[in-house]
Amino acid sequence: MKRPEDQGRRKQRPVAVIDIGSNSVRLVIFEQAKRNPVPLFNEKVLCGLGRSLATTGALDKKAIERALRALRRFRAICDQLGVAGIEVIATAAAREAENGPDFVARAERALGCDISVITGKREAHLAAAGVVSGFPGADGIAADLGGGSLEIIGIHKKKGPIDGVTLPLGGLRLIDLSGGNLKKAREIVDSELAKVDWLKKGKGRPFYAVGGTWRAFARLHMAYTQYPLSVMHAYTIGLNDALKFARVVDHLSSESLERLAVIPKARRETLPYGALVLERLLKKMRPSEFVVSAFGVREGLLYTTLGEDEQKRDPLLDACYELAVLRSRSAEHALELCQWTDALFEASGPSETAAEKRLRHAACLLSDIGWRTHPDYRSTQSQSQIAQESFAGIDHPGRAFLALSVFYRNQGLIPRGETPSIHQLVDRDTLRRARIVGAAIRTAHMISASAPHVIDKTRIYYDDDRLVLQMPAELTDLDGERLDLRFGVLAGELEKKPEVRIGTREKEPATV
């Protein structure tokens, strides 16, 4: 892997996105406008602007005052953090309510900037852009469930967003239209979905779920299954399991909902209705799986402001390199590890796909970010940090691979039965690759002591049944028992005999 070309560019000022929705008003301040957006500040106020919109045709007066108060606070925070610009959008409630224009005018005065009241189609396209931002190469159907509306849009990995539609099926709107009757709400949902004749294009393809209510649904499923990660983005549930769980959730009583400690109180009211919409949508569409996208309209809006070159960057590798610069002893050494370990997966070594190579390089970049942690806790702390890090462009098995690789780099190759529970997310072959990568990085650090321009003087390769570490004569004094031990462990994991060659001289084979 080469050094990212523009990582040395001048740091930009933060940028802000404010989303005025039917249920919530939210501010996200990103560290800067870039491919791997890092939230610097994130605040949400559940105002319920569209709570009674379906029956009254207007925004709730108390909700308006609450929203305006939140927006004044958001402006003060943006000024305090010196943001370079604020993008503000308003969605279903503001565009449909008879008093929407008056509210928008007051909101613009509170913020001191213009507000874009976007159409349902524009909202769908921004949600799709958010999904693409979080899942490079996404190909499926995305849907964004808000308080007032449901946006559904197709995503083609080459053509981009297609077939966008908006439907009046937001959680608050369904409660209002049905009078709190789930049976009536089901009839409304089915009637609206019947109007969309292209939903079957999603059959057998991923369904990307956007919106707080569906994230709450996924959070509940995580708790129910005792899932070993708490990261929402890319959490995946198979079609049949998602359907079964949705049918359970949309029948929960108010008493049962009150006992759901893992779900924020403000989300419990709309959760059954969100589950109902999901169940009817999945049944009609028959996708391959339900996938949570933590990237939605706000991230999509940021993504659309980026140049084409920036959009094409790899968000995962960019993020990992930034962490290497911020927290490792040498980012240059981390880059050298990428190339140094390439040789283990070439010729006589284990096979590796392009996607697996990408993850290995990411693991190399992250391999030393926990060096300041006390040695007794370094392995578990690094594993936990990486597993829960705010990464885009990676699924949960990929997260587990990165976390396990760095765990083994710090802890050594402990017996498989003692591996952290996160190993449940990977298959046997991926676990083996994590052990190999961890052992290789562990060996490299024993040669270099984490200093750059050392391991690039050495070479690792296969010679029949041997794994050879070739070191130049100038590094003779770096040879030692600890290096022999670590290199022997790596060779053993690869089912090879270890051999260290210094200059033109061959040593006796290292022993484990």
Side-chain angles (χ1 to χ4, degrees), residues 121-164:
K121 187 173 182 179
R122 173 64 173 159
E123 189 175 354
H125 276 256
L126 288 177
V131 170
V132 171
S133 175
F135 298 91
D139 191 304
I141 302 290
D144 182 359
L145 181 68
S149 63
L150 169 70
E151 281 68 44
I152 312 173
I153 189 165
I155 301 175
H156 190 280
K157 60 183 176 183
K158 293 183 179 179
K159 298 178 183 178
I162 51 178
D163 296 328

Side-chain angles (χ1 to χ4, degrees), residues 50-59 98 172-180 184:
R51 175 172 296 278
S52 57
L53 177 61
T55 53
T56 67
L59 303 178
E98 60 184 32
L172 290 179
R173 190 191 295 261
L174 275 176
I175 293 172
D176 195 17
L177 286 173
S178 67
K184 185 175 180 180

Side-chain angles (χ1 to χ4, degrees), residues 4-39:
E5 295 176 2
D6 60 349
Q7 288 293 343
R9 64 191 176 192
R10 182 174 59 86
K11 187 175 177 62
Q12 301 171 14
R13 289 166 59 194
V15 294
V17 176
I18 296 175
D19 179 4
I20 303 172
S22 300
N23 193 19
S24 65
V25 176
R26 186 166 212 149
L27 164 69
V28 182
I29 299 177
F30 296 99
E31 184 183 32
Q32 63 186 87
K34 57 183 180 180
R35 184 61 185 85
N36 56 309
V38 180

Side-chain angles (χ1 to χ4, degrees), residues 397-474:
R399 283 180 177 275
F401 170 80
L402 297 185
L404 289 168
S405 295
V406 179
F407 174 84
Y408 288 128
R409 169 262 185 274
N410 288 298
Q411 185 70 28
L413 298 189
I414 61 174
R416 283 176 168 80
E418 299 175 18
T419 300
S421 62
I422 196 175
H423 84 275
Q424 301 168 27
L425 303 182
V426 300
D427 57 27
R428 180 180 291 273
D429 179 64
T430 302
L431 181 61
R432 180 176 182 243
R433 285 191 298 105
R435 290 172 64 88
I436 291 170
V437 172
I441 296 172
R442 195 168 170 82
T443 299
H445 278 274
M446 188 53 65
I447 299 169
S448 65
S450 307
H453 313 307
V454 178
I455 60 171
D456 58 357
K457 297 176 182 177
T458 71
R459 190 163 69 96
I460 194 166
Y461 59 94
Y462 296 99
D463 186 358
D464 293 329
D465 64 343
R466 292 168 292 177
L467 180 67
V468 178
L469 173 60
Q470 184 80 48
M471 299 174 64
E474 65 186 273

Side-chain angles (χ1 to χ4, degrees), residues 468-506:
V468 178
L469 173 60
Q470 184 80 48
M471 299 174 64
E474 65 186 273
L475 299 183
T476 298
D477 291 343
L478 289 177
D479 184 30
E481 291 182 6
R482 291 290 300 280
L483 175 57
D484 286 350
L485 178 62
R486 290 194 178 183
F487 183 59
V489 170
L490 171 60
E493 193 66 21
L494 289 162
E495 299 180 347
K496 299 291 182 180
K497 296 177 182 177
E499 182 179 312
V500 178
R501 297 177 182 174
I502 299 180
T504 58
R505 175 176 62 85
E506 295 187 10

